[in-house]
Amino acid sequence: MLSALSNILKITELRQKIVFTLTMFLVFRMGTHIPVPGVDSHVIEQLFTTGNLFGFLDLFSGGALSKFSVFAMSITPYINASIIMQLLTVVVPKFEQWAKEGEEGRKKITQITRYGTVLLGFIQAIGMAFGLRANNALIDSGYGTVFVIALSLTAGTCLLMWIGEQITEKGIGNGISLIIFAGIVSQLPNGLAVIYQYLTVGTINIFQALIFAIIAVAMIVLVIAVSQGQRKIPVQYAKRVVGRKMYGGHSTHIPLKVNQAGVIPIIFASSVLMFPVTIAQFIDVSWVKTVAGWFAWGTPLQTTLYALLIVFFTYFYTAVTMNISDMAENMKKYGGFIPGLRPGKPTADYLDRVMTRITLAGSLFLAFIAILPNVVAGITNIQGVYFGGTALLIVVGVALDTMKQIEALVLMRHYQGFMK
């Protein structure tokens, strides 16, 4: 490991990319401590200490939400806009045409995603401002204060979007993913401090803390194994003569990932289940509060629906983003075939059957990871330390992706990288 790090430092370009990325992280962490004007910080602290809905979301903003800084919304509006654009690319012919135009089409889609981020961010910021107003968390409850808060939150999200794009262009790794990664990892010391406090006051014993550590390591290993897992479908290309040249005649494979949908199903499922709880916060009716209590985090109904929705959205998102028919048609067009199968519909049926089976394994894995925090809290009695779910998948996925990019840059200079 030390030799690999020394190899990185020898490469001027890579060293500059890493320094630039770390500098952007510093700007991000500084922004999480800049408060939004017009907000009563004491009321905000009380809302989070009483187990408010926003407590879990604070993890992904790196603590910016609990401080209600200008980065309180984090990069969430950009993620939502990107997911919406990805789904619209499948159903809107114009967007589908842009997606096939290469770099120019990608720039158009990126530009629309930016506009969508601003729009969604402002709508979400208005909702959060009125939510704070309903909880008497504003120093001045006038509409001018609400507008200033919404504008500040939207500007913070736009700045984070710009920082992410700069990291992608001039740094190392995917900038948006790394911002979320930095926010989650920044809360690790707080989690360790909570566990230490539990040990100090006697809420848990050393055996429970050890079990928590063992489960954490085991789940990281499992997430890495499943994230890297794939089913390789062998493909043989027939020889064909074009002019005086011969093409084809080689073997390759189609890598079908076990977890093709990533963390998107968990985000979709959690958003659907948070909707009734969020609405109930602004409606002071007894039966609405009762129904919202059924969907509270950790209840049997919420956990069961959470797992079922994750399985459903895994199949839905995989079906939307992967066009099996086009894949089989492209193989046929270029003279490729799966040994033992005829090109065309038989190949498409086989790929669809294989994809359905491995997606089942991926969906069950995502459901298990999503409900893991409840299981860990029940076994170890450690409350308030979020481990598992979206956070674990993002941290492991971003770390693997960034390591691969560093590996590629190092190996281009004929150095030995991290992976062997």
Side-chain angles (χ1 to χ4, degrees):
M1 178 63 74
L2 293 177
S3 62
L5 292 174
S6 65
N7 288 337
I8 291 176
L9 296 177
K10 293 177 183 177
I11 305 173
T12 304
E13 179 188 358
L14 185 55
R15 187 170 63 247
Q16 291 174 346
K17 286 178 176 290
I18 293 176
V19 170
F20 181 83
T21 303
L22 295 177
T23 304
M24 291 295 101
F25 282 171
L26 179 61
V27 174
F28 165 57
R29 293 308 301 162
M30 290 173 61
T32 58
H33 297 281
I34 301 176
V36 173
V39 177
D40 190 340
S41 59
H42 298 291
V43 178
I44 295 293
E45 291 177 3
Q46 293 176 2
L47 289 175
F48 279 88
T49 55
T50 54
N52 193 268
L53 174 67
F54 298 126
F56 178 72
L57 300 178
D58 187 45
L59 175 69
F60 300 99
S61 65
L65 186 56
S66 59
K67 301 181 183 68
F68 215 80
S69 73
V70 292
F71 291 162
M73 293 195 304
S74 186
I75 204 69
T76 305
Y78 181 85
I79 297 173
N80 294 335
S82 299
I83 293 173
I84 292 172
M85 279 301 301
Q86 192 171 6
L87 296 176
L88 289 178
T89 301
V90 181
V91 297
V92 178
K94 189 66 175 179
F95 293 162
E96 186 177 4
Q97 178 185 347
W98 287 352
K100 296 178 180 178
E101 288 180 357
E103 184 66 23
E104 290 300 318
R106 188 186 64 80
K107 288 181 179 179
K108 295 177 183 178
I109 293 176
T110 301
Q111 191 67 21
I112 294 181
T113 304
R114 291 170 182 161
Y115 293 143
T117 300
V118 176
L119 177 62
L120 292 177
F122 189 72
I123 294 173
Q124 182 178 342
I126 288 288
M128 292 178 69
F130 275 104
L132 293 176
R133 186 188 184 196
N135 286 279
N136 299 318
L138 302 185
I139 298 175
D140 179 11
S141 59
Y143 289 105
T145 303
V146 171
F147 178 77
V148 170
I149 291 174
L151 199 63
S152 301
L153 292 175
T154 306
T157 296
C158 293
L159 178 58
L160 280 181
M161 178 176 64
W162 179 83
I163 290 174
E165 292 178 350
Q166 293 301 306
I167 292 176
T168 302
E169 181 181 352
K170 302 178 182 178
I172 188 74
N174 183 285
I176 302 299
S177 300
L178 282 172
I179 288 176
I180 303 174
F181 174 87
I184 296 173
V185 172
S186 67
Q187 296 303 295
L188 180 61
N190 293 337
L192 295 177
V194 170
I195 295 176
Y196 177 75
Q197 291 175 1
Y198 284 165
L199 286 171
T200 303
V201 300
T203 305
I204 62 173
N205 53 44
I206 190 66
F207 180 70
Q208 291 172 308
L210 184 61
I211 291 177
F212 182 86
I214 293 174
I215 293 176
V217 174
M219 291 313 304
I220 291 174
V221 173
L222 178 62
V223 169
I224 292 174
V226 176
S227 299
Q228 298 290 87
Q230 58 185 16
R231 171 74 181 275
K232 296 181 179 181
I233 306 297
V235 178
Q236 180 70 39
Y237 283 90
K239 294 181 179 180
R240 55 195 180 97
V241 178
V242 179
R244 295 184 177 182
K245 294 184 178 180
M246 180 176 293
Y247 297 91
H250 64 277
S251 299
T252 183
H253 66 270
I254 302 175
L256 299 179
K257 297 183 65 175
V258 175
N259 184 19
Q260 184 69 36
V263 299
I264 303 300
I266 297 180
I267 296 175
F268 280 0
S270 60
S271 300
V272 171
L273 291 177
M274 282 182 179
F275 183 74
V277 182
T278 306
I279 296 299
Q281 290 183 347
F282 308 106
I283 302 177
D284 193 13
V285 180
S286 58
W287 69 269
V288 174
K289 300 290 185 182
T290 303
V291 173
W294 298 344
F295 292 92
W297 181 266
T299 60
L301 178 61
Q302 187 270 346
T303 303
T304 303
L305 290 177
Y306 196 24
L308 293 176
L309 284 174
I310 288 173
V311 173
F312 168 76
F313 282 122
T314 302
Y315 275 98
F316 171 77
Y317 190 77
T318 303
V320 168
T321 55
M322 283 195 65
N323 195 323
I324 299 295
S325 298
D326 284 353
M327 189 184 301
E329 189 63 31
N330 289 332
M331 287 173 53
K332 181 179 179 181
K333 184 188 302 183
Y334 293 102
F337 63 93
I338 299 175
L341 292 175
R342 294 177 61 86
K345 190 176 185 305
T347 298
D349 292 341
Y350 173 76
L351 291 175
D352 183 65
R353 192 162 58 249
V354 172
M355 200 66 224
T356 300
R357 291 176 179 177
I358 64 176
T359 301
L360 176 62
S363 64
L364 294 178
F365 164 75
L366 288 177
F368 173 68
I369 290 294
I371 63 176
L372 180 66
N374 298 337
V375 177
V376 173
I379 294 176
T380 63
N381 199 29
I382 298 177
Q383 305 291 335
V385 179
Y386 295 107
F387 177 79
T390 312
L392 182 60
L393 288 170
I394 290 175
V395 168
V396 172
V398 173
L400 288 173
D401 181 63
T402 305
M403 186 180 295
K404 288 179 181 177
Q405 292 196 31
I406 295 176
E407 180 83 4
L409 290 172
V410 170
L411 292 179
M412 283 175 60
R413 275 74 178 180
H414 306 289
Y415 292 117
Q416 186 180 41
F418 288 101
M419 303 178 180
K420 295 182 180 180

